[in-house]
Amino acid sequence: MARKFFVGGNFKMNGTIESIKAIVNNLNEAKLDPNTEVVIAPPALYLLLVREHLKNGIQVAAQNVFDKPNGAFTGEISVSQLKDSGINWTILGHSERRTILKESDEVVASKTKVATEGGVSVIWCCGESLEERESGNTISVIEGQLAAVAGKIGDWKNVVIAYEPIWAIGTGKVATVQQAQEVHAAIRKWLKANVSETVAAETRILYGGSVNGKNCKELAREEDIDGFLVGGASLKPEFVDIINANQ
């Protein structure tokens, strides 16, 4: 089964009502590759605004969700609240939440379990620091992150994996095409050995880390790169070029 190309846009903590409406209008009017699945993740405050104005066919994601049902959890958003608002995706495990907010592999795995079981699809992020890469531990770090989530979920149909080397996020540094493909192939190999051949073959693995309009086409040609999770460039008109990178 061919894996459908996938491009996610993570706005992070950026945007205003005016600027986000402009991004949405640009996407609504652009000619986008119909064979690419597109999901954008604005800050939580703007989720409903985006869902209301964005054309059908493009999905909206939260940047995080909590792993408990509605209740006394100040500042959090539940899976059922996302569903109630027509938000069917969430990003989980982004390195900024792992490093700045100290979310452990176990916390990310728990959130992934609750989201997928509640009907919200997950862009699940993994990646290594510069120190881990330079010490030759890239694959073992990512395998540890994978093992934590694989221990919690049984159904991978609603999970997209995003490999984001931490040292390449927002730094302008990009993993070489060879480095990215190498890690993507290792993730697929791990899934085959530890989950199933079907999950390995069908799960989409995205690359994230300073993806832009100039480098996206070369990356998209690699066998195990099934799309992108885009940060800063998703706020710019070139996001359309990235969406169309696989044409």
Side-chain angles (χ1 to χ4, degrees):
M1 188 175 105
R3 297 184 296 269
K4 188 172 186 178
F5 203 73
F6 184 108
V7 176
N10 178 13
F11 295 5
K12 306 191 180 185
M13 196 174 73
N14 290 301
T16 61
I17 290 173
E18 185 182 4
S19 71
I20 286 175
K21 275 186 175 176
I23 292 167
V24 167
N25 288 339
N26 185 50
L27 289 172
N28 286 346
E29 290 167 12
K31 191 174 181 190
L32 305 179
D33 182 352
N35 298 313
T36 295
E37 187 168 357
V38 182
V39 177
I40 59 172
L45 193 58
Y46 304 122
L47 283 167
L48 284 172
L49 174 82
V50 170
R51 184 60 284 165
E52 186 184 337
H53 289 91
L54 192 63
K55 67 183 176 185
N56 290 335
I58 301 178
Q59 292 292 322
V60 182
Q63 296 178 13
N64 179 47
V65 74
F66 203 49
D67 59 350
K68 299 285 189 294
N70 293 346
F73 304 105
T74 302
E76 296 294 339
I77 296 173
S78 72
V79 170
S80 63
Q81 287 171 329
L82 290 182
K83 289 288 290 180
D84 185 47
S85 302
I87 309 301
N88 297 315
W89 282 86
T90 185
I91 298 171
L92 288 172
H94 192 280
S95 65
E96 286 152 7
R97 295 197 65 86
R98 289 180 187 266
T99 56
I100 300 166
L101 295 162
K102 309 301 180 196
E103 288 191 2
S104 65
D105 292 347
E106 291 68 31
V107 165
V108 175
S110 176
K111 288 181 173 186
T112 305
K113 172 184 166 69
V114 170
T116 53
E117 289 179 354
V120 170
S121 298
V122 173
I123 301 170
W124 177 87
C125 303
C126 60
E128 84 284 12
S129 67
L130 186 58
E131 188 183 353
E132 288 161 344
R133 172 162 280 277
E134 289 179 341
S135 59
N137 292 325
T138 295
I139 303 303
S140 62
V141 166
I142 288 162
E143 287 179 346
Q145 293 168 338
L146 283 164
V149 78
K152 289 277 190 184
I153 65 170
D155 187 356
W156 288 74
K157 282 188 174 63
N158 296 321
V159 177
V160 173
I161 294 172
Y163 166 59
E164 297 201 301
I166 297 169
W167 47 272
I169 297 172
T171 60
K173 291 181 181 175
V174 186
T176 65
V177 172
Q178 186 183 5
Q179 283 173 324
Q181 166 58 25
E182 208 171 72
V183 177
H184 282 231
I187 291 170
R188 212 173 294 287
K189 182 181 174 185
W190 189 94
L191 289 172
K192 186 176 179 181
N194 296 277
V195 183
S196 76
E197 198 165 336
T198 302
V199 167
E202 293 181 358
T203 300
R204 290 171 291 183
I205 307 173
L206 318 179
Y207 173 73
S210 299
V211 176
N212 58 46
K214 290 177 182 166
N215 60 31
C216 60
K217 279 193 177 294
E218 189 183 7
L219 286 160
R221 283 196 286 267
E222 291 300 313
E223 182 184 354
D224 291 299
I225 297 178
D226 304 312
F228 306 111
L229 182 57
V230 185
S234 67
L235 303 166
K236 301 172 185 173
E238 71 180 296
F239 187 47
V240 170
D241 300 327
I242 301 170
I243 291 168
N244 294 333
N246 201 40
Q247 279 185 323

